[in-house]
Amino acid sequence: MTQQVKVALITGGIGGIGTAICQRLAKDGCRVVANHHPAEQEAADVWRQARAEEGLEIDTAAGDVSSAEDGARMVQEIIDRFGGVDILVNCAGITRDKTFKKMEASHWEAVINVNLNSVFNATRPVWEGMLERGFGRVINISSVNGQRGQFGQANYSTAKAGMHGFTMALAQEGAAKGITVNTISPGYVETAMTLAMRD
């Protein structure tokens, strides 16, 4: 039996696109939990207050989703508090743009860990509960650059393309169990992340 109020977890929820998703889901009646990196606690507190001033009650959860252990810990705390996660939006993302000639292993690993490995790290702990309840929605925020590539973004384009491959495979596993898995691939959206890019 599904819960009356759907619980939605948005990784990278206090970012630009994440904020808009949180606002929309909260207005649609979901119990929303916005994930943020533990180092962003102060920013998350300010963010949560801003949402409260908009009349939206949105919880925040600190967790490094690039870490399987910390991602699982955070998800378990949300499950313990709210009884499960019905909707997961994998929105955590960073850029470390460099031409491939100048790209260091640290630039590659940081983007793959945050943008792609986080998708496994956040989805795996909620998947079993979705299967048991016979309901789940997993939405992965990819990018047009995962489909067409982008100069100076070998790491980012790879992560976003991998996210789409993950989506297509997992969708087949969840379909018969009432779980949908979809990718959304936005173009450039005016957020702090894109404003940091060169024109």
Side-chain angles (χ1 to χ4, degrees):
M1 187 171 156
T2 57
Q3 294 154 269
Q4 196 73 24
V5 176
K6 297 290 187 263
V7 176
L9 167 61
I10 294 81
T11 71
I14 69 169
I17 292 176
T19 296
I21 293 169
C22 288
Q23 290 168 323
R24 177 58 188 266
L25 288 171
K27 288 173 183 174
D28 285 348
C30 294
R31 162 61 74 182
V32 178
V33 183
N35 154 258
H36 62 88
H37 192 277
E40 299 176 314
Q41 187 60 56
E42 193 173 323
D45 292 340
V46 171
W47 183 92
R48 187 175 178 179
Q49 181 59 38
R51 302 293 76 77
E53 289 169 7
E54 296 169 354
L56 302 174
E57 186 184 339
I58 299 177
D59 290 277
T60 55
D64 179 0
V65 289
S66 72
S67 158
E69 293 75 19
D70 204 42
R73 173 204 58 78
M74 176 198 67
V75 170
Q76 189 57 53
E77 287 179 3
I78 294 168
I79 291 171
D80 290 345
R81 186 172 173 195
F82 298 113
V85 173
D86 303 289
I87 300 164
L88 171 65
V89 183
N90 286 303
C91 192
I94 60 169
T95 53
R96 296 289 184 271
D97 295 354
K98 297 277 182 184
T99 59
F100 194 65
K101 181 180 177 181
K102 296 179 181 177
M103 188 173 289
E104 298 171 13
S106 62
H107 301 142
W108 176 270
E109 290 164 2
V111 170
I112 295 296
N113 284 337
V114 174
N115 296 27
L116 180 57
N117 291 343
S118 68
V119 177
F120 174 88
N121 297 338
T123 308
R124 183 63 190 86
V126 305
W127 189 250
E128 200 165 329
M130 288 180 174
L131 290 173
E132 288 172 359
R133 290 189 299 275
F135 178 89
R137 298 289 179 263
V138 179
I139 301 102
N140 299 317
I141 308 301
S142 182
S143 167
V144 292
N145 293 346
Q147 298 169 336
R148 69 183 190 194
Q150 182 60 266
F151 184 95
Q153 286 197 326
N155 48 6
Y156 185 84
S157 297
T158 298
K160 293 303 188 177
M163 181 185 278
H164 188 54
F166 173 88
T167 297
M168 293 188 293
L170 201 61
Q172 295 182 46
E173 294 188 29
K177 305 290 186 180
I179 305 169
T180 61
V181 188
N182 289 283
T183 302
I184 297 173
S185 296
Y188 288 93
V189 178
E190 189 173 310
T191 65
M193 189 173 83
T194 58
L195 289 173
M197 297 176 181
R198 294 181 309 173
D199 286 344

